[in-house]
Amino acid sequence: MKRIFVIFLLFFCHYALSNNLGDECNKKMSGKEVIDCFLTLNKELDKDIKKEIDTIKNEFLKETQIEEVVASQHYWVDYRQSECRSRITPLASGYSNGITFQNCMYRKAHTRLEELKRWHNCYDNGCPERKPKEVVNKALNAKGQPQVAAH
């Protein structure tokens, strides 16, 4: 029974790592290198998500929309952590749980960033009202950040 489970686990890990997301990590040789690679990618994606949230905070006109986006992000962080933890198994050995967990975290973060960009750029569910570009750019200049292009 354990052999069947291990074979299933190996197949699952191979399947989970087989598409293009995180390809540079999948080419690493050791389990530790794969985990370290995904950790690096996850940190970069988390920074990109924060940057997108900050852009939304700066550009959206209605405070309730901003509050909802920020609240949804907090809920999403908890969801991602729980969802990815549910994919690990106590019977796995070596680095397989770490790889599965970090790969899941990466995929979820990648999806979330794309979701935020689609909504921010008016591809999903209409277009939120925005502050005038001059007001946004004035605030960004005061913070030393690049200006916003017209939408």
Side-chain angles (χ1 to χ4, degrees):
M1 185 67 171
K2 285 184 181 180
R3 285 184 184 181
I4 292 172
F5 181 75
V6 171
I7 291 169
F8 173 77
L9 184 62
L10 290 173
F11 174 78
F12 175 77
C13 286
H14 173 72
Y15 175 77
L17 295 172
S18 63
N19 86 22
N20 294 338
L21 284 181
D23 258 358
E24 60 268 34
C25 294
N26 298 332
K27 294 175 182 171
K28 302 294 180 185
M29 291 302 206
S30 75
K32 183 173 180 351
E33 288 175 329
V34 174
I35 291 170
D36 289 344
C37 180
F38 274 117
L39 279 169
T40 300
L41 290 178
N42 285 332
K43 286 178 185 176
E44 290 171 13
L45 275 173
D46 286 344
K47 285 179 188 176
D48 291 344
I49 288 171
K50 183 184 180 326
K51 186 176 172 183
E52 189 67 26
I53 295 286
D54 289 344
T55 301
I56 289 169
K57 284 181 185 178
N58 286 326
E59 289 186 22
F60 286 6
L61 182 62
K62 294 185 179 178
E63 198 62 36
T64 54
Q65 285 178 319
I66 295 168
E67 290 169 3
E68 290 298 323
V69 169
V70 171
S72 74
Q73 184 60 22
H74 289 294
Y75 292 130
W76 177 82
V77 168
D78 292 339
Y79 156 75
R80 176 180 69 162
Q81 192 79 9
S82 295
E83 176 69 20
C84 293
R85 280 188 179 152
S86 74
R87 295 176 185 229
I88 62 175
T89 176
L91 299 176
S93 61
Y95 290 106
S96 61
N97 274 337
I99 292 169
T100 300
F101 180 77
Q102 291 302 328
N103 187 2
C104 175
M105 296 284 282
Y106 174 75
R107 290 172 187 280
K108 297 289 181 193
H110 186 270
T111 301
R112 178 62 173 171
L113 181 59
E114 292 304 311
E115 181 181 272
L116 288 168
K117 285 180 178 180
R118 280 193 317 271
W119 190 68
H120 172 241
N121 293 317
C122 307
Y123 298 132
D124 288 343
N125 301 323
C127 196
E129 288 185 63
R130 298 174 190 275
K131 296 174 186 173
K133 190 173 98 174
E134 301 80 33
V135 172
V136 173
N137 284 333
K138 184 176 178 183
L140 291 175
N141 282 336
K143 294 178 185 178
Q145 296 177 350
Q147 294 189 354
V148 174
H151 288 281

